[in-house]
Amino acid sequence: MTRHTETPLLSVRGLTLDIPLPSGVLHAVRGIDFDLHRGETLCIVGESGSGKSLTSLAIMGLLDKNIQRSADQLDFNGIELTTASKRQMRALRGDRIAMIFQEPMTSLNPAYTIGDQLSEAMRLHRNVSREKARARAVELLEKVGITAAESRLGQYPHQLSGGLRQRVVIAMALMCEPELIIADEPTTALDVTIQAQILSLLVDLTKEMDVAMILITHDLGVVARVADKVGVMYAGELVETGPAGDVFGTPMHPYTRGLLRCIPQPGKTERGQPLGTIPGIVPSLVGAVQGCAFRTRCPHAVDACRGAIPEQGAAPHEFLCIYPDGAASAEGEMT
Amino acid sequence: MLPFILKRLGLAILVAFTVSFISFSLLFLSGDPAAALAGETASGEDVEAIRVLYGFNRPMLVQYGEWLVQALQGNFGESYYFKLPVASLIADRLSVTMTLGVCGITFALLTAVPLGVAAAIRPNSIIDRVALFLSVAGQAMPSFWFGLILIVVFAIKLGWLPPSGATTWRHFIMPTIVLGYYAMPAIMRLTRAGMLEVLSSDYIRTARAKGAGEGRVMFKHALRNAIIPVVSLAAVQMGFMLGGSIVVESVFALHGAGYLAWESIARNDLPTVQALILIFSMFYIIFTFLADVLNAWLDPRMRSS
């Protein structure tokens, strides 16, 4: 957090993703802004369908063809991704920006050995010999805590457990020493006991190698442990962003507060006390969306919430709510 | 990989023996072979004499063993009708059928796989529509009719190709197209469906996230996985084609094994029918075995099963 004077590694301004549907245009992501500096970990939280994964795919340039991407700025280290050619994007992917997907069971190709799949990115981007790529693969497999790394190279994905496969996927992302890793719910599909291991491995390695990371998750416990910065997404908008300590310490948006009440806190939540829930459902994002999308579920909504909501707060802690103080005091009585 | 191959080979041999026994038993299932040989006017003594002469009075298993030993040496007895050794009779005809079969499946694969891939890359595009049209037409058109149309157009009207016979490679062009086009739709559709499924899978996204180009994604990552069911289907169709297509062989007057089979059945020429059934089944067994090995090479998960 001492690095905010540097130019950010990734700077996103006004990222918008629209999906044309027969019933109208689905505004899946609606003008989000954030900055990510070198070596920082940004956690994006939010419920399913809030646009987290689409945001990550939009940065990678891997959106389905039917999704329309527009942005005022999508700057990665001086390269404007919105105008980058396919070739430029291909050169970035797997080399300077790597991605880790949710499903370790299906994100490796069943027909090729671990060694082939680990070497691939390096062979594509670095023009190195087979031996050199394999040596690097062994080195990284050891780094992600896989024993007998050498002999694993000849194994196929189906011979490995889910936890091992996700370690392989992490090693694969690190092959070319990327500057940015986007991890889309990397532990969701794993056993609970393995989740913590894989997550701390990922965080340790990104810190050690000074890689910036966007970690997409809906697990707030994870966020509290690893995030430098937090972005809370709701219905296609980043409703609150800021340093992790600030967002968790003084959550400003009622949605963030609602999320925080949904997780048990040791010492605070009493045995038998029901956990919080957020009543209502996410509004449809098909057609024009006006005002605060959370207002139908918000206990403090007022008429002004129907209008445009300007950014509130001051950098680095910003949020999209015009009534945060009132909400805070009102909720203070509830909790 | 080697244990897998040996296991499949063992299985294939077992199946081959079973099939050989069944094809041998045909002789007995179709009535008294001695009576059939002797003809309708023969007396009881004549039939009995033939029975002893041909050894039909001995236990069936003994006869089977004897027949099998002979068959393994390539001796399938003498054709009742042609009065020639069945082996040489079939060898003659089989070369025509094998040429046609190999050309037919090659034509089918070379058209169906690229079309299927292209259709899957751009679903609902012009290419996809054309591929769909070709496959529906291929499935709907009877081979004999398509063959006749080709003869009318290319042999009679344009005079580019010979209408019938099997003497030069040019004689095989139209039969190849007719036979191959018959097998093409199924292969094309299976390729398309397989590619569509594989292209939406997570590991394709992983490959793209690594920076792999579209060509590499399509052919290295996707096709290898999508082609696996196609291999099995192609093997069965290959077996089918080498069994000879009676229709195609008749239309183009190619005197191949399929035509021979039809003739022999019509004439009750049992040794020939027996030998043909055995040979056709062996083709199926060999191609299924080869397809299994090829699939195991393509998909490592199959090697362990």
Side-chain angles (χ1 to χ4, degrees):
Chain A
M1 248 137 293
T2 52
R3 314 186 197 205
H4 284 190
T5 47
E6 291 172 32
T7 47
L9 177 70
L10 178 71
S11 181
V12 178
R13 292 289 173 272
L15 176 65
T16 301
L17 300 174
D18 290 335
I19 309 171
L21 297 175
S23 52
V25 176
L26 171 67
H27 301 282
V29 171
R30 302 181 291 134
I32 64 171
D33 308 330
F34 66 87
D35 283 336
L36 184 66
H37 291 81
R38 283 169 197 289
E40 253 181 2
T41 297
L42 164 69
C43 286
I44 299 184
V45 292
E47 53 202 282
S48 311
S50 58
K52 304 176 306 238
S53 295
L54 282 180
T55 302
S56 64
L57 291 173
I59 296 166
M60 291 293 283
L62 287 177
L63 289 168
D64 283 349
K65 283 184 195 115
N66 64 328
I67 302 177
Q68 292 157 3
R69 178 183 74 174
S70 68
D72 302 328
Q73 191 185 26
L74 206 60
D75 181 292
F76 175 76
N77 221 354
I79 304 169
E80 181 51 49
L81 301 183
T82 46
T83 54
S85 68
K86 277 188 177 174
R87 178 184 288 267
Q88 274 177 302
M89 284 309 298
R90 229 171 32 229
L92 285 178
R93 281 200 291 267
D95 187 7
R96 299 175 65 188
I97 309 178
M99 189 147 185
I100 296 169
F101 294 103
Q102 184 174 350
E103 280 289 342
M105 304 311 274
T106 52
S107 53
L108 292 169
N109 193 325
Y112 293 100
T113 60
I114 303 302
D116 282 345
Q117 297 188 60
L118 277 164
S119 312
E120 187 172 16
M122 206 172 176
R123 303 265 287 147
L124 281 170
H125 296 291
R126 293 294 157 84
N127 198 23
V128 295
S129 69
R130 203 179 136 83
E131 289 68 37
K132 219 168 168 191
R134 289 181 93 81
R136 169 84 177 150
V138 170
E139 183 192 329
L140 276 170
L141 283 182
E142 281 164 358
K143 250 198 158 76
V144 296
I146 291 181
T147 51
E150 191 89 50
S151 65
R152 299 280 184 190
L153 292 186
Q155 287 191 313
Y156 289 93
H158 73 276
Q159 295 168 307
L160 307 180
S161 67
L164 274 181
R165 285 189 217 185
Q166 199 63 322
R167 284 173 197 266
V168 169
V169 170
I170 291 172
M172 214 157 80
L174 293 168
M175 279 298 283
C176 292
E177 299 178 348
E179 290 152 83
L180 171 63
I181 287 185
I182 303 175
D184 187 359
E185 308 208 19
T187 59
T188 310
L190 300 174
D191 289 347
V192 181
T193 46
I194 311 287
Q195 284 185 359
Q197 283 177 24
I198 296 288
L199 194 75
S200 38
L201 173 76
L202 187 59
V203 171
D204 291 348
L205 284 174
T206 49
K207 291 290 172 221
E208 182 190 325
M209 300 169 102
D210 203 26
V211 184
M213 176 161 68
I214 298 177
L215 180 64
I216 291 168
T217 178
H218 50 234
D219 185 343
L220 285 170
V222 165
V223 180
R225 266 183 290 157
V226 307
D228 297 318
K229 267 186 187 171
V230 178
V232 180
M233 253 186 126
Y234 182 77
E237 281 181 314
L238 268 178
V239 293
E240 184 160 359
T241 52
D246 295 358
V247 174
F248 280 101
T250 51
M252 300 308 279
H253 197 283
Y255 178 65
T256 313
R257 275 193 224 116
L259 278 184
L260 289 173
R261 261 196 326 238
C262 294
I263 51 168
Q265 285 172 302
K268 276 192 183 173
T269 311
E270 288 193 20
R271 191 175 286 275
Q273 182 190 334
L275 290 171
T277 52
I278 304 175
I281 51 161
V282 184
S284 162
L285 297 176
V286 178
V289 183
Q290 272 197 336
C292 175
F294 190 60
R295 67 174 187 273
T296 52
R297 302 169 77 181
C298 181
H300 317 292
V302 292
D303 274 350
C305 296
R306 293 172 191 278
I309 312 290
E311 194 115 298
Q312 307 284 311
H317 189 183
E318 294 173 320
F319 50 92
L320 289 176
C321 180
I322 51 171
Y323 193 51
D325 297 332
S329 60
E331 272 174 40
E333 292 151 24
M334 289 164 64
T335 41
Chain B
M1 190 81 175
L2 194 66
F4 172 85
I5 294 177
L6 291 177
K7 215 165 123 188
R8 286 294 150 136
L9 196 63
L11 210 65
I13 291 171
L14 217 65
V15 174
F17 273 111
T18 313
V19 168
S20 73
F21 185 73
I22 292 170
S23 79
F24 174 78
S25 329
L26 279 182
L27 198 63
F28 295 89
L29 290 175
S30 57
D32 185 351
L37 265 178
E40 277 169 31
T41 55
S43 65
E45 291 91 68
D46 291 344
V47 172
E48 202 51 48
I50 284 176
R51 183 165 291 138
V52 175
L53 180 68
Y54 282 86
F56 293 139
N57 54 345
R58 293 170 305 156
M60 191 171 159
L61 270 178
V62 174
Q63 294 184 56
Y64 168 67
E66 213 165 62
W67 176 80
L68 190 66
V69 169
Q70 293 295 315
L72 284 174
Q73 293 166 1
N75 183 4
F76 294 99
E78 193 176 83
S79 157
Y80 294 166
Y81 177 82
F82 292 98
K83 305 292 176 203
L84 286 168
V86 171
S88 67
L89 189 66
I90 291 177
D92 255 13
R93 305 295 194 92
L94 211 53
S95 70
V96 172
T97 294
M98 277 173 87
T99 311
L100 180 60
V102 170
C103 291
I105 194 78
T106 309
F107 175 80
L109 286 172
L110 286 183
T111 51
V113 172
L115 256 179
V117 171
I121 290 175
R122 296 194 191 288
N124 298 320
S125 66
I126 296 286
I127 297 175
D128 192 15
R129 298 290 158 94
V130 169
L132 183 70
F133 170 78
L134 285 176
S135 86
V136 169
Q139 257 161 353
M141 246 183 336
S143 293
F144 72 87
W145 185 76
F146 183 47
L148 290 175
I149 295 287
L150 287 186
I151 290 175
V152 167
V153 174
F154 293 100
I156 298 171
K157 295 261 189 240
L158 297 168
W160 292 351
L161 293 167
S164 63
T167 37
T168 69
W169 63 270
R170 295 172 70 239
H171 287 91
F172 282 96
I173 293 177
M174 288 194 294
T176 294
I177 292 173
V178 174
L179 192 61
Y181 193 29
Y182 178 76
M184 187 274 258
I187 297 177
M188 200 282 284
R189 283 166 167 242
L190 203 58
T191 307
R192 180 184 181 273
M195 278 297 277
L196 274 179
E197 192 191 321
V198 168
L199 283 176
S200 67
S201 64
D202 290 346
Y203 57 82
I204 292 303
R205 203 175 46 178
T206 307
R208 290 205 171 104
K210 278 188 207 171
E214 279 308 289
R216 193 181 173 87
V217 168
M218 291 301 159
F219 295 103
K220 186 164 189 254
H221 288 277
L223 190 58
R224 178 159 177 170
N225 287 289
I227 207 76
I228 291 164
V230 177
V231 170
S232 310
L233 175 69
V236 173
Q237 284 183 327
M238 180 95 198
F240 167 78
M241 286 184 182
L242 289 182
S245 163
I246 295 166
V247 173
V248 175
E249 286 180 8
S250 308
V251 169
F252 293 98
L254 296 167
H255 288 282
Y259 194 71
L260 179 65
W262 178 72
E263 284 176 308
S264 307
I265 292 166
R267 289 168 183 148
N268 250 328
D269 191 352
L270 276 170
T272 315
V273 175
Q274 248 180 357
L276 283 170
I277 290 173
L278 190 66
I279 288 169
F280 293 162
S281 329
M282 291 309 138
F283 281 138
Y284 273 101
I285 292 167
I286 290 167
F287 286 109
T288 310
F289 168 71
L290 289 179
D292 282 347
V293 173
L294 183 57
N295 272 343
W297 175 74
L298 287 169
D299 186 353
R301 284 169 296 184
M302 286 188 202
R303 288 171 215 165
S304 43
S305 65

